[in-house]
Amino acid sequence: MKTFPLLALVAHVGSVLALWPLPRSLSTGSSALKLAPTFDIHLNIAHPPSDLEDAVTRTKSFLKDDKLGRLVVGRGASDASAVQHAKTLRTLELSLGHGAPVQSITDEAQLPIGTRSEGYTLHIPADGSTATLSANSTLGLFRGLTTFEQLWYEYSGQVYTIEAPISIADSPAYPYRGFTLDTSRNYFPVSDIKRTLDAMSWVKLSQFHWHVSDSQSFPLEVPGFTELASKGAYSPSMVYSPNDVQEIVSYAGARGIDVMVEIDTPGHTAIISTAYPEHVACPEASPWTTFANEPPAGQLRLASAATTNFTADLLAAVARMFPSSIMSTGGDELNTECYTQDPETQADLKATGRTLEQALDVFTRTTHAAIRAEGKTPAVWEEMVLEHNVTLSNDTIVFVWISSANAAAVAAKNFRLVHGPSDYFYLDCGAGEWVGDDVANSWCDPFKTWQKSYTFDPLANISESQAHLVLGGEQPLWTEQSGPENLDSIVWPRAASSAEVFWTGPGGNSSEALPRLHDIAFRMRQRGVNAIQLQPMWCALRPGKCNLNS
Amino acid sequence: MKTFPLLALVAHVGSVLALWPLPRSLSTGSSALKLAPTFDIHLNIAHPPSDLEDAVTRTKSFLKDDKLGRLVVGRGASDASAVQHAKTLRTLELSLGHGAPVQSITDEAQLPIGTRSEGYTLHIPADGSTATLSANSTLGLFRGLTTFEQLWYEYSGQVYTIEAPISIADSPAYPYRGFTLDTSRNYFPVSDIKRTLDAMSWVKLSQFHWHVSDSQSFPLEVPGFTELASKGAYSPSMVYSPNDVQEIVSYAGARGIDVMVEIDTPGHTAIISTAYPEHVACPEASPWTTFANEPPAGQLRLASAATTNFTADLLAAVARMFPSSIMSTGGDELNTECYTQDPETQADLKATGRTLEQALDVFTRTTHAAIRAEGKTPAVWEEMVLEHNVTLSNDTIVFVWISSANAAAVAAKNFRLVHGPSDYFYLDCGAGEWVGDDVANSWCDPFKTWQKSYTFDPLANISESQAHLVLGGEQPLWTEQSGPENLDSIVWPRAASSAEVFWTGPGGNSSEALPRLHDIAFRMRQRGVNAIQLQPMWCALRPGKCNLNS
C-alpha cells in the first residue's frame, strides 16, 4: 500500500488517482474494485437536510453518467482482466461526527469565512466491505462526495478503480477559494451562472464573488431601487430579479458555495446616472480616458451627503438580498479628475471643509456601517487600503488585484486578504485590446495559463505572523470580451488551477498535475461544462509524453 | 441618396447598413421600408437546382428568426414611427443573366479556383416594388441572398430597413477566402464542421481547407486504407467515414464552399506508424524535440520506393473522396535528423545514390502525379518552394504560413499563393504553451486580434505583375488547445476579419468596421454560432463611444 503525504504525492507523476484538487492526505493500494450494479449511498444521519440528499443523488448520477475511460492508450482495456476478478463495492455510508450539527450544506457554506467546516475522511476498503465517508458537517460530507465521484473510471460498462484500498483525510489549506464573475460588462443568464457554480463545486471552490454591477450596466433588480435595473440593464430580459438571486444563492449553497455580492462604489458606477443622475459626477465625460479607466466615465458623488445616504440605503437593500456574511463595496480605480471637474462635488467639499480623501472616508464609513447593520463584513479592493486613507474596521477583507506584489503591503497593514492578482489569476488577459480604435495587446498581457496560476504562492513575502491574514484567493473573469458564448471555454479548466493552490496548498508540480487536470476537464465536459482541451488528445492519453523533455 | 464607392464607404463611420463583408459597390437612401408579412422570394428560373431552393428557404428563415434589433440605444425604437408609415416590400425576385448556366450552387462552388462566378447585383426600391437579385451563376445568387439577409432589422415584430433604396453591385476581390481546420490534434464531430461551414457562408468564405490528419491522429476512413483510421483515430467514434465526408462536402457546396482536403506529407505523419510501421521513420523518437516540431516524432520514409508508392496510392484514394479541384499534399516542417538517424532511409538513399533533397523531389513528383491523375491541382506549404528544391508544376498553389514576409518570395518564384501567415491570421496564438512542463508563451504570441488580421495587405511587397498570383487567404485554427468546446469562440467573429479583407479588399478602417462586425456576430449568435463578444454591450450599442479617442 502506498501512502502519500502531500509532497510525496506531488512528486509521484504516474499516479492513477486523478483527483482535483489533490487531497491533503491520501493513501492508495493496487487492487481493483468495482461498483456493484446496486451500489448505493446510505446516509447514516437522522433527518438529513434535503440539500445533502440531493447531493447524494447527484453523486450517484455522476458515477453512472461520467463514463470516463482512463486517460491512457486503450482507455482502460488493460484493466479489464483485473476488474473482472475484482471485489464489488455495494455501499458508501455517510455519517457525521459525534455531536456535529445536522444542518444544511447551504447553512454551513454561508457561515462566516474561517468558521466553515470542510474537512472529511473517506475510506474505501479493497475487500468490498462498506466504504465510509465521515465529517463534522454536511459541508464536509459534500466535499467528500465530490472526491468520491472522481475516483472511478468506466470500461465496457463497468465502473471501477484499480487503486483500492483508498484512504483520504482531507481539509482545505484556505477557506476562501473563489471565482469572480463580472455580469455588468456583458450579461450572463441565470443558467450560465448555475452551470458555473456546478463546475466550481466539482473542484471544491467555496466562494462566488459576484461583481454584479459596473459602469456599463446594472442588471440587478434591487427592491426600492428598481429603476437601476429598469433603466440601467442592457434590456428587460437582462435583469436578475430577486427571485433569480434567490435561485442562484440556493443553487450555490447546496453546492457548498457562498455568494458574495459586490456593488462597486464609488467608482465604476456611471450607469447609475441613467436612473439617478443627481448622484453621479462626470457621466459619460469626454474623453473618457481622462475621467475613467474604461468608458463610460461617471462616479458616485462621494462628497454629497444625499449621495452617501442613497448609496448606504442601496447597499443595505442589496445586502438584504444575500445571506452571505460578506459583501464587497468595491473601491477600485477612483478617478480624481472626475471630481475635480464636477461643480457639485467641489461645492460639497467646500461646504463641508473636507478634502476629497476626507469625503471618501465619510462615504466609506457610512456605507460600511449600513451593511454592517445588515450583518455583513465589508470587503474592498486593495486601493482602499494602499492608495487611500479611509477608516476601515480591522475585520475588513481586502482583495488584491493589481499585482501579486501588493499582498504583502496589505498584510503589513494587518488586514485579512484574498489573492486575485492580475499577474497570476486574471482569466481575461491576453486576448488583445477591446477598446475601439486601439490595436494594442491587453493591458495585462500575456494570457495567464493554468501553469502560471498554478505556481502562485499565497505566502510569498508574507511573514509567518501574518500568514493567518491570508484567507485564500480567486480567479476573476472580467467580461469586456466575454459572454455566455465563451464563459466555459475561458474559465475551465484554468480556474481549477487556483482551486488546487488554495485547497491543497502551493508547490505543486505542473507536470504531475497535468494528467489530473485533463481528467477533471474530461469529467466537466461529460457533465455539460465546455472545459477546453489543454493538449492534443494524443498527449492527454500519454501522460508525460508531450513534456518538453521527453 | 448616398452613393458609396468602396473607399468612401469605408470612411463613413455612421453607416447603418451593417453588411459583412462590405459590398464593393453600394448605394443607399434614407427611406424606411418594411417586409410584408407575406414577403416571399421568387425564383425566376426554370428548373432551379434544389440547393438554390434550399438557400432561399434558409434566407426566409433568417429574415424571420434573426430578430436583430439595431445596435443602438433603444434597439430601433427611434425607427418605429418611420417604419409605421413605410412602404412594404412583398417580393424579391431572383434571376440569372442571359445565357448563364443553370447548375447547382455546389457545382459552381467546386469549379477550379479563379473560374467561379460569385458576383451579383441587388436592387431594393424604396417604393415597395419588387426587389431584384441577379447574377450569372447560382453561386452569385447565393452570395446575393447572403447580403440580402443582412439588410434587415427587427423592432416590435416588424422587419425593416431605414436605408431604402439600396443598390449593390458586388463581386469578390479574391477567389480564395478560406478557413482551415485541423481535425487531427483534436477531433471535431461532423455537426461542428457543419456549423462552421454555416458561419463561413454568412461572411462569404469560399474555401474550407481541411487539415484532416497529422502526427497525432488519422481520423479519416480512406477506402483501401481503413487501418489508418481504425488504428490511428483517437477512438472509433472519432472517425470521418466516407459518408461523413460526402455529407460535409455537400453541406459546404450548397453553401458556396469548396472543401480542399490536405493529407500532410511527408512530415506530420507519425500516426501512420500505428497502421503501417514500415512506412514511418523515427516513430515516437525521443527526445521528440530533436526529431519533430511537435510530439510525436515520425515521418514517411520519403526515400523508399515502397513508401512513395504507398503515399501516392493513399493520396489518390483520398482525392477520389473529394470533388474539389485542389488538394494539398502538405510539405511543412520536414525534419532531417529523423532521416539521418533512420537506417532504412540511409540504406534507401545509398542504394539509389540520391541525396535527401533528391529523394524528396522524387517523392513529391510521384505523389503529385498521383493526385493529378485524379484531376487535382496540388497545393503545398511554403517550405516546398522556399526551403526545398523540388520540381513543382507551375500551377501548384502555395500556402504561406510562417510569416507574411515570405509571400513575396513565393510570388517571385511565379507560384500562385494563398496567404495564411501566422503573424496575422493564426487563430490559436496567444493562449500559452501547450507542451507539458513548459510555461512559455505560445510560439506565435501574441493573440491575433481581428483588428490585426484586418490590417493585412494581400499585395504587400508583391509587384503589380505578380498580383495575379495572389488567390486570396485563409485563417487557420490549429487545434492543440481547441476542440468542439471552444471552436466557435476562438474562430468567430475573428475569422470574419480576413473574409472582408479578401472579399472587399484591404485598407478598411477598424473603427468603421467594428459596428458591422458586432452586427454579424449578433446574427451568428442568433443563428446558433457562439461568436464572442468583442466589447461590453454598452459599447456595441454606442458605435464609436468606446474608441480610444472619444
Side-chain angles (χ1 to χ4, degrees):
Chain A
M1 188 151 169
K2 298 168 280 182
T3 300
F4 302 119
L6 173 62
L7 290 179
L9 184 71
V10 161
H12 180 72
V13 174
S15 176
V16 173
L17 272 193
L19 298 170
W20 196 283
L22 210 54
R24 301 186 76 202
S25 164
L26 167 66
S27 72
T28 60
S30 54
S31 297
L33 179 68
K34 56 192 173 192
L35 289 191
T38 59
F39 172 80
D40 205 357
I41 299 175
H42 290 163
L43 274 170
N44 188 18
I45 298 168
H47 310 296
S50 64
D51 60 6
L52 180 60
E53 291 180 315
D54 292 345
V56 166
T57 301
R58 288 198 305 278
T59 295
K60 290 195 285 187
S61 295
F62 293 144
L63 292 172
K64 191 157 69 78
D65 299 334
D66 272 5
K67 295 186 194 303
L68 177 58
R70 276 214 291 135
L71 294 180
V72 293
V73 174
R75 305 304 297 275
S78 59
D79 304 331
S81 161
V83 171
Q84 196 185 342
H85 302 99
K87 302 284 187 184
T88 299
L89 179 65
R90 300 177 186 285
T91 310
L92 170 68
E93 189 167 274
L94 271 57
S95 56
L96 284 172
H98 183 70
V102 181
Q103 56 186 359
S104 66
I105 298 171
T106 303
D107 286 344
E108 300 276 1
Q110 292 167 356
L111 288 173
I113 194 84
T115 69
R116 301 169 194 165
S117 170
E118 300 187 84
Y120 65 93
T121 58
L122 175 62
H123 296 287
I124 302 174
D127 63 1
S129 59
T130 296
T132 58
L133 169 60
S134 58
N136 287 318
S137 72
T138 56
L139 178 59
L141 291 177
F142 175 67
R143 299 292 181 227
L145 285 170
T146 303
T147 299
F148 187 81
E149 293 156 14
Q150 295 178 7
L151 293 172
W152 308 92
Y153 295 99
E154 195 239 35
Y155 184 79
S156 194
Q158 181 61 60
V159 178
Y160 71 97
T161 175
I162 55 169
E163 296 208 78
I166 298 168
S167 278
I168 293 172
D170 201 10
S171 65
Y174 294 94
Y176 190 114
R177 305 176 308 278
F179 169 69
T180 305
L181 184 66
D182 160 15
T183 57
S184 172
R185 274 59 176 255
N186 280 302
Y187 176 83
F188 295 80
V190 172
S191 60
D192 288 299
I193 295 177
K194 288 164 75 174
R195 193 176 66 257
T196 301
L197 291 165
D198 274 321
M200 289 173 64
S201 76
W202 300 332
V203 292
K204 300 189 173 76
L205 289 178
S206 63
Q207 199 75 39
F208 180 55
H209 176 166
W210 191 356
H211 183 88
V212 67
S213 65
D214 208 293
S215 277
Q216 289 78 12
S217 76
F218 200 105
L220 184 66
E221 183 188 333
V222 183
F225 299 83
T226 54
E227 290 197 354
L228 285 170
S230 64
K231 296 188 174 172
Y234 283 137
S235 84
S237 67
M238 293 181 167
V239 170
Y240 304 105
S241 70
N243 277 345
D244 291 336
V245 169
Q246 195 168 15
E247 188 179 340
I248 288 167
V249 165
S250 299
Y251 198 89
R255 285 154 184 78
I257 297 167
D258 182 41
V259 179
M260 183 196 72
V261 68
E262 174 183 349
I263 302 291
D264 201 350
T265 65
H268 292 267
T269 46
I271 201 68
I272 292 177
S273 69
T274 57
Y276 301 95
E278 66 275 23
H279 293 312
V280 176
C282 77
E284 293 195 37
S286 176
W288 60 264
T289 47
T290 302
F291 300 97
N293 285 32
E294 284 188 8
Q299 302 181 147
L300 289 169
R301 286 191 166 121
L302 58 78
S304 152
T307 298
T308 302
N309 291 336
F310 161 83
T311 307
D313 292 347
L314 169 63
L315 292 176
V318 172
R320 289 190 289 271
M321 301 175 75
F322 291 84
S324 176
S325 68
I326 324 172
M327 177 170 174
S328 172
T329 63
D332 56 320
E333 299 186 319
L334 203 60
N335 180 294
T336 53
E337 191 61 23
C338 172
Y339 295 122
T340 302
Q341 296 198 23
D342 181 47
E344 286 84 341
T345 297
Q346 293 307 313
D348 286 332
L349 291 174
K350 194 170 175 189
T352 55
R354 291 178 185 140
T355 64
L356 190 67
E357 281 295 315
Q358 289 168 332
L360 176 63
D361 187 47
V362 173
F363 178 90
T364 305
R365 280 192 283 119
T366 306
T367 54
H368 281 198
I371 66 169
R372 280 187 191 282
E374 301 297 335
K376 308 299 188 204
T377 300
V380 294
W381 294 113
E382 62 172 88
E383 292 99 314
M384 287 289 107
V385 167
L386 300 182
E387 297 181 13
H388 301 285
N389 192 23
V390 296
T391 311
L392 294 172
S393 141
N394 65 6
D395 66 343
T396 304
I397 296 169
V398 178
F399 291 100
V400 177
W401 72 274
I402 296 174
S403 165
S404 55
N406 295 351
V410 172
K413 295 193 178 228
N414 210 32
F415 284 105
R416 295 188 296 172
L417 67 89
V418 172
H419 294 287
S422 62
D423 49 336
Y424 281 86
F425 288 155
Y426 269 31
L427 296 164
D428 58 314
C429 303
E433 182 54 86
W434 58 267
V435 168
D437 214 7
D438 189 2
V439 295
N441 295 340
S442 74
W443 71 270
C444 53
D445 234 36
F447 182 86
K448 306 304 171 232
T449 61
W450 75 267
Q451 297 96 323
K452 171 74 176 177
S453 306
Y454 199 63
T455 63
F456 186 76
D457 177 2
L459 299 181
N461 302 315
I462 289 175
S463 72
E464 209 175 308
S465 68
Q466 295 161 344
H468 70 283
L469 296 169
V470 178
L471 296 178
E474 61 186 8
Q475 289 200 252
L477 179 63
W478 304 107
T479 60
E480 287 86 354
Q481 293 164 304
S482 290
E485 301 76 22
N486 64 340
L487 174 61
D488 291 8
S489 61
I490 204 167
V491 175
W492 304 111
R494 274 196 296 160
S497 189
S498 65
E500 181 154 295
V501 168
F502 294 106
W503 178 283
T504 315
N509 173 297
S510 67
S511 294
E512 177 280 327
L514 179 54
R516 293 187 294 106
L517 192 55
H518 278 307
D519 211 275
I520 189 67
F522 271 71
R523 287 191 197 272
M524 284 185 174
R525 288 194 280 275
Q526 181 65 14
R527 298 176 187 182
V529 170
N530 278 325
I532 68 162
Q533 313 283 339
L534 297 170
Q535 291 190 314
M537 192 170 171
W538 192 91
C539 305
L541 297 181
R542 294 164 180 83
K545 285 267 192 175
C546 292
N547 285 359
L548 193 56
N549 301 304
S550 130
Chain B
M1 188 151 168
K2 298 167 280 181
T3 300
F4 302 119
L6 173 62
L7 289 179
L9 184 72
V10 161
H12 180 71
V13 173
S15 177
V16 173
L17 271 195
L19 298 171
W20 196 283
L22 210 55
R24 301 186 74 202
S25 165
L26 167 67
S27 73
T28 60
S30 54
S31 297
L33 179 68
K34 56 191 174 194
L35 290 190
T38 58
F39 172 80
D40 205 356
I41 299 176
H42 291 163
L43 274 171
N44 187 18
I45 298 168
H47 310 297
S50 64
D51 60 6
L52 180 60
E53 292 180 315
D54 292 345
V56 166
T57 301
R58 288 199 305 277
T59 295
K60 290 195 285 188
S61 295
F62 294 144
L63 292 171
K64 192 158 69 77
D65 298 334
D66 272 4
K67 295 186 195 301
L68 177 58
R70 276 214 292 134
L71 293 181
V72 293
V73 175
R75 305 303 300 274
S78 59
D79 305 331
S81 160
V83 171
Q84 196 186 342
H85 302 98
K87 301 285 186 184
T88 299
L89 180 64
R90 298 178 188 284
T91 309
L92 170 67
E93 189 168 272
L94 271 57
S95 55
L96 285 172
H98 183 70
V102 182
Q103 56 185 359
S104 67
I105 299 170
T106 303
D107 286 344
E108 300 275 1
Q110 293 168 355
L111 289 172
I113 195 82
T115 70
R116 301 171 194 162
S117 170
E118 300 186 84
Y120 65 93
T121 59
L122 174 63
H123 296 287
I124 302 174
D127 63 1
S129 59
T130 297
T132 58
L133 170 60
S134 57
N136 286 318
S137 71
T138 56
L139 178 59
L141 291 176
F142 175 67
R143 299 292 181 228
L145 286 169
T146 303
T147 299
F148 187 81
E149 292 156 16
Q150 295 178 8
L151 293 171
W152 308 93
Y153 295 99
E154 196 240 35
Y155 184 79
S156 193
Q158 181 61 61
V159 178
Y160 71 97
T161 176
I162 55 169
E163 296 208 78
I166 298 168
S167 279
I168 294 173
D170 201 11
S171 65
Y174 294 94
Y176 191 114
R177 305 177 306 279
F179 168 69
T180 305
L181 184 65
D182 160 15
T183 58
S184 172
R185 274 59 177 256
N186 280 302
Y187 177 84
F188 295 80
V190 172
S191 60
D192 288 299
I193 294 177
K194 288 164 76 174
R195 193 177 65 255
T196 301
L197 292 164
D198 275 321
M200 288 173 65
S201 76
W202 300 333
V203 293
K204 301 189 173 74
L205 289 178
S206 62
Q207 199 75 38
F208 180 55
H209 176 166
W210 191 356
H211 184 89
V212 67
S213 65
D214 209 293
S215 276
Q216 289 77 14
S217 76
F218 200 104
L220 184 66
E221 182 188 333
V222 183
F225 298 83
T226 53
E227 290 197 354
L228 284 170
S230 65
K231 296 189 173 171
Y234 284 136
S235 83
S237 67
M238 294 181 167
V239 170
Y240 304 106
S241 70
N243 278 345
D244 291 336
V245 169
Q246 196 169 13
E247 187 179 341
I248 287 168
V249 166
S250 298
Y251 197 88
R255 285 154 184 79
I257 298 168
D258 182 41
V259 179
M260 183 197 72
V261 69
E262 175 183 348
I263 302 291
D264 201 351
T265 64
H268 291 267
T269 46
I271 201 69
I272 293 178
S273 70
T274 57
Y276 300 95
E278 66 275 25
H279 293 312
V280 176
C282 77
E284 294 195 39
S286 177
W288 60 264
T289 46
T290 301
F291 300 97
N293 285 33
E294 285 187 8
Q299 302 182 147
L300 288 169
R301 287 193 165 119
L302 56 79
S304 152
T307 298
T308 302
N309 290 336
F310 161 82
T311 308
D313 291 347
L314 169 62
L315 292 176
V318 172
R320 289 191 288 271
M321 301 175 76
F322 291 84
S324 176
S325 69
I326 324 172
M327 177 169 174
S328 172
T329 62
D332 56 320
E333 299 186 318
L334 203 59
N335 180 292
T336 54
E337 192 61 24
C338 172
Y339 295 122
T340 302
Q341 297 198 21
D342 181 47
E344 287 84 341
T345 297
Q346 293 307 313
D348 287 332
L349 291 174
K350 194 170 176 189
T352 55
R354 291 178 186 140
T355 65
L356 190 66
E357 281 295 314
Q358 289 168 333
L360 176 63
D361 187 46
V362 173
F363 178 90
T364 305
R365 281 192 283 119
T366 307
T367 54
H368 281 200
I371 66 169
R372 279 186 191 282
E374 301 297 336
K376 308 300 188 202
T377 300
V380 295
W381 293 113
E382 62 172 86
E383 292 100 311
M384 286 290 107
V385 167
L386 300 182
E387 297 182 13
H388 301 286
N389 191 24
V390 297
T391 310
L392 294 173
S393 141
N394 65 6
D395 65 343
T396 304
I397 295 170
V398 178
F399 291 100
V400 177
W401 71 274
I402 296 174
S403 165
S404 55
N406 295 351
V410 172
K413 294 191 179 231
N414 209 33
F415 284 106
R416 295 188 294 172
L417 67 89
V418 172
H419 294 287
S422 61
D423 50 337
Y424 280 85
F425 288 155
Y426 269 32
L427 296 163
D428 59 314
C429 303
E433 181 55 86
W434 58 268
V435 169
D437 214 6
D438 188 2
V439 295
N441 295 340
S442 74
W443 72 270
C444 53
D445 235 35
F447 182 87
K448 306 303 171 236
T449 62
W450 74 267
Q451 298 97 320
K452 171 75 176 176
S453 306
Y454 199 64
T455 63
F456 186 76
D457 177 2
L459 298 181
N461 301 316
I462 288 175
S463 72
E464 208 175 309
S465 67
Q466 295 161 342
H468 70 282
L469 296 169
V470 178
L471 296 178
E474 61 186 8
Q475 290 201 251
L477 180 62
W478 304 107
T479 60
E480 287 86 354
Q481 293 163 304
S482 290
E485 301 75 23
N486 64 340
L487 173 62
D488 290 9
S489 61
I490 204 167
V491 175
W492 304 111
R494 275 197 295 160
S497 189
S498 65
E500 181 154 295
V501 168
F502 294 106
W503 178 282
T504 315
N509 173 296
S510 67
S511 295
E512 178 280 328
L514 179 54
R516 294 186 295 107
L517 193 55
H518 278 308
D519 211 275
I520 190 67
F522 271 71
R523 288 191 197 272
M524 284 183 173
R525 288 193 280 274
Q526 181 65 14
R527 299 176 187 182
V529 170
N530 279 325
I532 68 162
Q533 313 284 339
L534 297 170
Q535 292 191 313
M537 192 168 170
W538 193 92
C539 305
L541 297 181
R542 293 164 181 83
K545 285 267 192 175
C546 292
N547 285 359
L548 193 55
N549 301 301
S550 132

